[in-house]
Amino acid sequence: MADTDAITLYDYWRSSATYRVRIALNLKGLRYTQKAVHLLRDGGEQHGAAYRALNPQASVPTLVHGERVIRQSLAIVEYLDEIAAPSLLPAAPLARARVRELALLIACDVHPLNNLRVARYLEHEFGADASARERWMRHWMAEGFRAFEALLAADGATGRCCHGDAPTLADACLVPQVYNARRFGLDLAPFPTLSRVADHCLTLPAFDAARPENQPDAVA
C-alpha cells in the first residue's frame, strides 16, 4: 500500500461506526491520523459547513487517503480490505456471505435504530426522556442480538471469533455494538456466544487499542 501516512480518520471516540474502522485499521497495522469531530459540542461539529463539505451526511466516520474521501464505515473497511492485508473477509464465497450477513445485521438493522440522530429525534419530536430513549435502545439491541446469537450458536463455523478463529468484518461490527449494549445496561446473559466472542476479541491488541476509552478525544 502506498503512502500509509496519508490516512486520516475523522472520528468521534464513542461512535460505534468509527470504532469499526479503528479496529480494521489496527488489525491491518496501518498508521493513521485521527481528527476528532465532536458530535455533541456546540450542537455537533459534524453540522459545520467545513465538515459537511467533506461529508454531506454530517456523520462519522470519514476516511481520507491521499486525495480520496470515503464515507460509510463498511465501505471504508472494504476499501481497506482491498489495499492492505490481512483480509477481514474469508476467501470462500459462502463464508464471505456469512461474514457479511452478520456484519450487516449489526450495521443495518441494529445500529441505525440506536444512533445519536435517532435518540435526538425521539427526544425533540416525541418528548422521550432519557429513560424512555434508553428503553428504546435496549429493545432494538436485544432484538438484533437474539438473531445474532442464534446465527452464531447454530453454525459450526463460529470459533473464537464470529467466523473461525481470526477476526473478520463481523467482529469489527459486533464489538462496538456490545460496547453500546453494556453502556446502556442491556442484560447480555441471554447472548452467551456473542458475549464470548466479543470478550475474546477485546483481548487482542487491535481491538483493545480501538476501545473508545483509549481514544485521544475520550472523555472520562
Side-chain angles (χ1 to χ4, degrees):
M1 175 184 175
D3 196 10
T4 57
D5 290 334
I7 296 176
T8 299
L9 178 66
Y10 288 81
D11 193 356
Y12 179 65
W13 69 288
R14 259 189 178 160
S15 161
S16 52
T18 51
Y19 192 171
R20 298 168 195 155
V21 175
R22 294 194 302 263
I23 290 168
L25 286 162
N26 294 345
L27 285 168
K28 292 172 182 296
L30 296 174
R31 291 176 293 175
Y32 59 100
T33 300
Q34 290 171 267
K35 289 193 175 181
V37 180
H38 200 296
L39 301 185
L40 300 174
R41 183 183 297 137
D42 299 326
E45 293 176 351
Q46 71 274 23
H47 299 300
Y51 188 72
R52 274 191 179 272
L54 188 68
N55 187 332
Q57 281 193 282
S59 62
V60 290
T62 300
L63 184 131
V64 179
H65 183 206
E67 297 182 355
R68 297 178 291 278
V69 181
I70 308 169
R71 307 148 190 100
Q72 290 291 338
S73 62
L74 297 195
I76 292 169
V77 173
E78 292 219 28
Y79 169 73
L80 296 173
D81 229 34
E82 290 168 359
I83 62 172
S87 179
L88 300 182
L89 287 167
L94 284 175
R96 291 168 78 87
R98 179 174 185 258
V99 167
R100 285 191 170 112
E101 173 186 42
L102 293 168
L104 291 170
L105 193 162
I106 297 295
C108 295
D109 292 345
V110 180
H111 173 246
L113 290 167
N114 290 275
N115 66 24
L116 179 62
R117 288 181 295 181
V118 169
R120 282 181 163 172
Y121 193 79
L122 290 170
E123 178 184 8
H124 298 150
E125 296 297 323
F126 299 103
D129 62 14
S131 176
R133 296 195 303 272
E134 289 177 9
R135 288 199 307 274
W136 166 280
M137 292 179 181
R138 287 193 294 269
H139 170 79
W140 291 113
M141 282 189 277
E143 286 286 302
F145 278 7
R146 273 191 282 273
F148 202 101
E149 175 70 20
L151 291 171
L152 289 186
D155 198 320
T158 304
R160 287 183 295 176
C161 296
C162 288
H163 189 85
D165 293 333
T168 65
L169 177 62
D171 303 285
C173 289
L174 174 63
V175 167
Q177 196 62 54
V178 169
Y179 168 84
N180 285 345
R182 288 173 170 150
R183 178 185 170 198
F184 289 106
L186 178 65
D187 179 12
L188 294 179
F191 317 115
T193 313
L194 72 80
S195 297
R196 172 185 61 76
V197 166
D199 288 344
H200 165 71
C201 287
L202 288 169
T203 68
L204 305 176
F207 284 81
D208 183 62
R211 290 177 191 256
E213 59 268 27
N214 292 335
Q215 305 317 301
D217 60 323
V219 176

